[in-house]
Amino acid sequence: MRRKHVPSLNVQLLTCMLLLTATVAATAQSLKKYPIEKTGCSVYMFCDPGKFELSMSPDSSKVYVAECIHEHVYYDVICVRMKESIAKADEAEGVLVQYLDYLKGSFGTISAVGYGKGHRLRGNEQTRGIVDYWKDEKGNNIKVKGWTNGRFIAVAMVISEKEIPEPKVNAFLDGFVFPDEKKK
């Protein structure tokens, strides 16, 4: 009986390493850090969002918004400097849920997978993150990830007519940086 050719473990490891290297290189090749005006916050993006537009929310919180397009995908960032800080992380997460619910209406969302909670920004227990997938009335696919540390709410979203390029956009969705907590 003839045995089928089975690649050696070294060949398999080399193949995995090459695929991982190619994925990381493709994801990281144009990711750059952009400051969000004078908030102390920043975001890593694949395209230059330009100047963030400032508006005031009904409760007088400052809302900074910017977007850009890269490879037919829209990258949107919303950063809210809350008028009043929320000390308890679970309460801040509740406010984040309310804000995401508000955004669903603003973006004409007709379906959603449902909020995935329990995320921490780079392992920081003082942060809370929520992810969801939406479809809007135009048929666009939207992946949204919201973050809060009790002083800021940050929402990063990608919008695409086609399937969302997951590994690449995840680097952006997790690329929000809150100001150093020591500089309060």
Side-chain angles (χ1 to χ4, degrees):
M1 178 183 279
R2 199 162 177 225
R3 290 178 55 181
K4 292 182 179 180
H5 175 70
V6 178
S8 71
L9 183 58
N10 288 341
V11 171
Q12 290 175 351
L13 285 174
L14 180 61
T15 303
C16 287
M17 288 174 53
L18 287 173
L19 287 172
L20 180 60
T21 303
T23 301
V24 168
T27 300
Q29 79 189 81
S30 63
L31 199 62
K32 293 181 183 174
K33 186 176 180 181
Y34 295 94
I36 301 175
E37 299 308 316
K38 295 180 182 178
T39 63
C41 298
S42 56
V43 62
Y44 285 89
M45 298 182 74
F46 293 100
C47 46
D48 187 346
K51 184 169 174 52
F52 281 76
E53 293 180 29
L54 172 62
S55 63
M56 300 299 281
S57 71
D59 75 346
S60 298
S61 294
K62 293 181 178 181
V63 181
Y64 299 87
V65 179
E67 75 172 3
C68 58
I69 303 169
H70 180 67
E71 296 178 354
H72 307 290
V73 176
Y74 286 84
Y75 292 85
D76 289 12
V77 176
I78 303 167
C79 178
V80 180
R81 178 179 225 140
M82 295 190 286
K83 182 180 177 188
E84 295 183 26
S85 294
I86 302 170
K88 295 183 180 179
D90 292 338
E91 289 177 17
E93 183 179 59
V95 173
L96 175 58
V97 166
Q98 292 173 3
Y99 192 64
L100 290 173
D101 286 343
Y102 164 75
L103 290 177
K104 275 185 196 177
S106 297
F107 280 83
T109 303
I110 58 170
S111 67
V113 171
Y115 295 136
K117 297 180 179 180
H119 299 268
R120 302 294 182 270
L121 191 58
R122 287 174 289 288
N124 182 344
E125 285 299 317
Q126 303 308 307
T127 62
R128 295 294 183 265
I130 298 174
V131 66
D132 202 357
Y133 292 85
W134 301 342
K135 182 149 311 247
D136 70 12
E137 53 205 11
K138 296 177 185 173
N140 292 314
N141 297 303
I142 302 171
K143 184 172 183 182
V144 60
K145 197 157 195 183
W147 295 103
T148 186
N149 67 353
R151 294 186 309 147
F152 289 91
I153 288 178
V155 178
M157 59 177 46
V158 292
I159 304 168
S160 177
E161 292 178 355
K162 299 178 181 177
E163 193 170 315
I164 302 275
E166 288 289 335
K168 184 173 186 173
V169 301
N170 289 340
F172 160 69
L173 296 171
D174 293 333
F176 192 83
V177 180
F178 288 116
D180 186 348
E181 292 297 319
K182 295 177 186 175
K183 295 181 182 177
K184 284 185 179 179

